[in-house]
Structures are given as structure tokens and as C-alpha cells.
Amino acid sequence: MNIRYSFLPLVMAATAITATAQTFNIATSQDGSFWQTSKTALQAKAAAKPSLTVTGTEPGQEFKAWGTCFNELDWDALNMLSRDVQEEIMHGIFAPDGDLRFTRGRLSMNANDYSRSWYSCSDVPGDFELRYFNIERDKRNIIPLMRAAMKYNPDMTFWMSPWSPPAWMKINQDYPVRSSKYNNLDPRTDYLLFGNAADIDPKEVEMAGQQKGKFPAKLATANYLIQDPRYLQAYADMFCRFIDLYKEQGITIDMVMYQNEAYSYTPYPGCAWTADGTIRFNRDYLAPTLSKRHPEVKLYLGTFNTNRTEYVDRIVGGLKDCVGGLGFQWEGRENLTAMRKKYPHLKLISTESECGNGSMDWKAGEHTFMLLSDYIGKGCEEYYIWNFILADNGESPWGWRQNALVQVDSKTRRHRYTPEYYAVKHFSNTVAPGSRMVAYKEAEANGMTPVIVFVTPQNKRIVIAGNFNDNEKTITVQLGKRYLNAILKPHSFNTFTEK
């Protein structure tokens, strides 16, 4: 249902805004009424107990980049639109004066679950010399999309992670981890995941969330990449060859991670790893190969999508001197506080915003707003959206419906900006790289009203707050000796930017 609300400005404490007052621009969004603007000023008295207090002496956590992923289905959706509309969308997302102002991108080596179908850059079995390794399919489908973004931001930078090694390098000789009606993997190979078919509970391989508070319910006992040194070294070499070929196309990849979601045992492109296998490949093969051939490329560890913190700690502890940072998504978010405390020298990033179920509705927007607040509030210095544009209900070739920032109707060739687009805009439009996150109160601890405070490189303060309740919520944030008082409308996103 597409409900439209008439705009009602935020009701602020009743004092006049004088020429000398510390004034703030306000942007607020509700379902059907997006990015409405007004103004307010700091007050001498608090209207409520402050959710946060910022003294101005906080060192804060620097935020460095907003970004998104580049996938084949995004390219297909964009090409359903007229050229003028394409340019409008790409300007809005990537231009320095656009809505979202993304400066960084993520891509996969070989197919991911939002490719049109499975493919690999190395499809000749036994090609350890990488004689036939190529990026020809990327040249047709991924690189044109990246160049469309770089038209509006030529200084964009990129990083890469694979979803699956080439099928010939895996113990099941196929791209997924488990069989399903959406692939042709022999179901008899499913037992490889846990090593004993009698122990497999079908629910253990479902990607339906946590069971008894843990994800995954049971950890894989097998490395799906063959652990022969020839395979391990050839796979590390593939990362460097991929970087080389993209450089020939004028695209710089400055960071890599070894695997996307090693703990989702997928019917689409994926690869299961054990802790020992993860440490072995990164420490003994990928790190030294990158150091020798591409010392300018950073190695981060991820993407972690499990909330088994002791297991994550075991891996990070074994690689803390080989990597520069850690990447988290999905259940991995639950590890942030522990990892930041134990490994303060390692950078943290949010590698992929959760994808939803194809609804592209306000509820999905609120969830993304919460994720933005929580990842950045807990120390992440980069944040990446998954698909930025999809057609219809965003269904993949493997039967998964997902959300996007822009939705395209394939029949009418029209588009709409989804609530998630505006959830992101409430952060990325004003929080420029180099800003510092100085205070955060998560939703659950603040009556479902997350509040986060930034200070820009120009020393201007930004307060971002959501209200996920059915009723108005009064909030106060103390900024120095004065107070930002606001009444947040029900189910709203709000950004207060110091003038």
C-alpha cells in the first residue's frame, strides 16, 4: 500500500531562532513524505532527559566511506530505463553533489548470487598457471556499470571478494555448497558439509536466521576449496591476476577479502571454510602473495556472517598480524563490540547491508536505518549497500527476493526510490568521509529511537535519529552546554545538521 502523509514539520521547543543562535537544518522522512526540510536552534534547557551528551572533547571514530556493490542484475535493471533516467539515478547515488554521494564499490571475483547465472574467470580444470583466466564477462556486464558510476565520481575506489572459487577447485566440483531445485548439484554430495550424512538436520543448512541464538546452527567440518598446496597457491594467484586485469581496464582494486559469507551454506555460489582452512589460506598463501605482487593492496578478513564470537576470535587471533581490518555482515554484526575491544588496531567495516525479502517498503527502510546506526555506532568506518537497483521484487536466479535502493518496474519501465534510499540519504548526504562518530545510543536502549552524533571535518555537528514507534517521541541531545530538543514524528527518519 502506498500511503501518503501530508508533511508536518518537527515540533521544537518554543523559543525564537535568533541570528546568534546555534541553528540546525532538519530533514525528516516518513512513508510517502520524504526529505522534508525545516530549521531549529539549540535551547538553553532540556525538554527531556538527554539520550546522549556530547562535550566536544570526544576523539570519536573516523568514518571513511559510503559504498555499494556492483552486480549483473543491477546492470540489467538500470538498462530497462531511459538514458535520462539512468543518468538521474547514477548522479543521485554517486556524484559528490548527489543524494547519496557514494565513493567506494565492492565487486566479486567469479559469479555471486546476483549474477545472471554461474560463471568463473577460470573455467579450465587444472589451469594452475592461469593461462585461460579472464574477465571477459565482467567487461560486458560489471565494468560498464562501474564506469557509469565513475562518470560521476572518477575517484571511486573498489574492493573485491569471491563468493565461490572455480568449480574445479572445490571438493564437490560445483559452485554451490548444497543442492536445491535452483542448481544441478548432486544431492549425494551434501554430506560433505558436516562429514556424516546421518548427522544432518535439514534445518541446519537453512538460511532462515538463528537457531537457539546461533548462526549457523552447526559449523561446517570441511573446507570446500581443495586444500592441496597447488590449489591454494593458484587461488591466491587468481586474486592478483584479477587485480591486474582490472587495472588494465583503468579500475583500481585496493583491498580484498578471501570469501563472502563463509558461514552461509548456500544453494547459490558459495564456499564453506573451517577456521583452520581460513587461517592457512590467508596466512600462508593469500597474504604473502599479495605482499609480493601487490603490496599496495590491503588484505582484510571477512566477510564474517556468524555470531559465534569465540570462533571468530580464533580466526582473527590467528591472522591479526596478517590483515589490516575485519568485515562483518548479517549475524556478524553481533561480534563488533568484542572485536573492537580486543583488536583495537584492526579496522572494522560493514561489508553488506541486509537484503530484505523484496518488499522494498517502509519496514525495510527502518531496518536499514537501524543497521546504519548500529554498525557505525559500534565502530565501523565504511558501510556498503548490497544491490542499489533491482527490477520488480528483486528475485535472483536462485529464487531469493531482495530489496534495493531503487526499484524498477520491468513492464512500465518506471522507477521509484524506496524507503531504504532515504534511510541511506539521511546518513550519507551529510556525513562526509572524514567525519567522526562521537556518540551513539542504540534503538533497544532508547525506546526504539536510535540516535547517533557526528562531527564533520568542518567541526559541524550532525545528529541523526529514527523513531520506530507508532507515537511521537520527544528526544534531547546535549551538545556542549546547550540542548537539541525535538519531537520525532511516528515512524520517521530525522537528520539535524549544524549550519
Side-chain angles (χ1 to χ4, degrees):
M1 183 183 298
N2 187 10
I3 302 174
R4 293 192 172 272
Y5 297 87
S6 60
F7 171 63
L8 295 174
L10 296 174
V11 179
M12 311 307 296
T15 61
I17 300 175
T18 68
T20 59
Q22 291 173 295
T23 58
F24 281 70
N25 293 324
I26 307 170
T28 189
S29 296
Q30 292 179 280
D31 194 6
S33 178
F34 299 109
W35 205 256
Q36 304 295 328
T37 59
S38 57
K39 299 181 186 298
T40 190
L42 298 186
Q43 309 299 326
K45 295 183 179 180
K49 180 180 178 180
S51 299
L52 294 169
T53 297
V54 176
T55 65
T57 61
E58 296 83 0
Q61 171 68 50
E62 183 180 2
F63 187 81
K64 294 183 178 179
W66 302 104
T68 189
C69 304
F70 289 80
N71 298 322
E72 286 188 338
L73 295 192
D74 293 64
W75 182 234
D76 290 347
L78 186 67
N79 281 316
M80 293 177 183
L81 303 170
S82 69
R83 179 57 61 87
D84 288 347
V85 173
Q86 291 179 30
E87 299 297 340
E88 172 199 308
I89 289 170
M90 299 304 278
H91 177 275
I93 294 175
F94 298 103
D97 62 347
D99 283 347
L100 306 189
R101 306 178 183 186
F102 289 173
T103 62
R104 205 148 153 68
R106 178 186 178 186
L107 65 151
S108 63
M109 179 171 67
N110 310 320
N112 61 40
D113 56 313
Y114 269 68
S115 301
R116 296 189 194 114
S117 61
W118 165 251
Y119 71 94
S120 168
C121 299
S122 177
D123 58 4
V124 178
D127 183 19
F128 297 108
E129 297 179 0
L130 309 188
R131 183 173 299 183
Y132 299 102
F133 188 96
N134 68 84
I135 59 168
E136 294 307 307
R137 182 153 164 174
D138 290 21
K139 289 180 182 178
R140 297 190 299 270
N141 304 310
I142 301 297
I143 292 174
L145 181 60
M146 297 168 75
R147 286 178 174 155
M150 294 171 71
K151 173 181 177 181
Y152 290 101
N153 189 340
D155 297 326
M156 281 194 72
T157 55
F158 299 90
W159 67 276
M160 177 273 285
S161 67
W163 267 237
S164 173
W168 61 270
M169 303 187 81
K170 296 173 68 179
I171 61 173
N172 65 351
Q173 297 291 288
D174 211 336
Y175 67 83
V177 174
R178 64 181 177 92
S179 63
S180 84
K181 65 180 181 180
Y182 295 105
N183 62 48
N184 295 315
L185 179 63
D186 187 339
R188 294 177 297 177
T189 66
D190 287 346
Y191 86 94
L192 295 170
L193 187 61
F194 302 123
N196 188 330
D199 291 339
I200 295 179
D201 177 345
K203 292 185 178 180
E204 288 173 344
V205 293
E206 288 181 357
M207 294 176 292
Q210 300 176 17
Q211 295 181 41
K212 298 181 180 179
K214 294 296 182 182
F215 183 87
K218 185 175 181 179
L219 289 163
T221 60
N223 293 292
Y224 271 52
L225 179 74
I226 297 171
Q227 296 294 289
D228 181 293
R230 295 179 302 162
Y231 288 80
L232 292 164
Q233 185 57 58
Y235 196 38
D237 291 342
M238 286 182 184
F239 282 72
C240 293
R241 184 67 176 136
F242 190 86
I243 293 167
D244 290 337
L245 293 177
Y246 263 78
K247 188 174 183 179
E248 291 178 6
Q249 298 298 310
I251 296 171
T252 299
I253 294 172
D254 63 14
M255 183 181 80
V256 298
M257 296 189 193
Y258 84 106
Q259 175 66 44
N260 176 73
E261 293 189 354
Y263 309 103
S264 287
Y265 306 136
T266 61
Y268 52 78
C271 189
W273 293 77
T274 67
D276 289 342
T278 299
I279 294 170
R280 181 185 305 113
F281 176 64
N282 282 279
R283 181 193 62 204
D284 300 341
Y285 295 92
L286 186 53
T289 302
L290 278 173
S291 179
K292 180 180 179 180
R293 294 176 55 184
H294 283 290
E296 78 285 2
V297 176
K298 299 183 292 291
L299 175 61
Y300 274 36
L301 184 58
T303 64
F304 285 112
N305 68 311
T306 176
N307 61 359
R308 294 174 175 271
T309 302
E310 292 183 4
Y311 191 78
V312 172
D313 184 44
R314 175 184 168 190
I315 295 171
V316 176
L319 291 169
K320 64 182 184 297
D321 298 324
C322 301
V323 300
L326 311 174
F328 296 94
Q329 57 196 58
W330 290 87
E331 284 80 9
R333 178 169 58 95
E334 297 176 37
N335 303 299
L336 288 172
T337 301
M339 293 300 104
R340 188 183 187 195
K341 181 178 180 180
K342 188 167 184 179
Y343 303 102
H345 70 290
L346 295 177
K347 307 296 186 182
L348 304 179
I349 71 172
S350 172
T351 44
E352 177 188 311
S353 196
E354 294 175 19
C355 59
N357 59 7
S359 64
M360 308 201 201
D361 58 8
W362 182 262
K363 183 178 180 181
E366 287 192 350
H367 186 67
T368 296
F369 190 99
M370 181 277 293
L371 293 173
L372 287 155
S373 303
D374 208 46
Y375 275 105
I376 300 169
K378 292 179 178 177
C380 287
E381 61 179 34
E382 300 179 27
Y383 193 99
Y384 293 87
I385 293 298
W386 178 218
N387 288 295
F388 68 88
I389 182 170
L390 288 174
D392 302 326
N393 60 13
E395 186 168 355
S396 79
W398 289 276
W400 194 352
R401 296 177 179 179
Q402 298 187 7
N403 296 335
L405 305 183
V406 183
Q407 182 181 32
V408 178
D409 186 318
S410 62
K411 295 181 179 178
T412 65
R413 302 296 177 110
R414 295 182 181 274
H415 73 291
R416 64 180 282 263
Y417 295 102
T418 70
E420 288 178 78
Y421 182 96
Y422 291 96
V424 176
K425 182 176 179 179
H426 273 274
F427 286 80
S428 65
N429 183 265
T430 55
V431 180
S435 299
R436 292 177 293 116
M437 188 283 301
V438 295
Y440 170 54
K441 179 66 70 74
E442 56 189 301
E444 291 80 1
N446 199 43
M448 297 310 293
T449 55
V451 184
I452 189 166
V453 182
F454 297 88
V455 177
T456 71
Q458 295 76 33
N459 210 35
K460 299 294 185 179
R461 294 162 296 186
I462 300 171
V463 178
I464 302 174
N467 179 12
F468 302 159
N469 297 278
D470 294 337
N471 302 310
E472 292 179 341
K473 294 280 289 189
T474 299
I475 67 160
T476 294
V477 176
Q478 183 174 353
L479 299 174
K481 295 182 179 181
R482 298 181 72 81
Y483 301 90
L484 177 68
N485 298 314
I487 299 176
L488 307 182
K489 292 299 177 181
H491 295 286
S492 64
F493 309 146
N494 309 275
T495 300
F496 305 83
T497 308
E498 187 173 10
K499 294 183 66 176

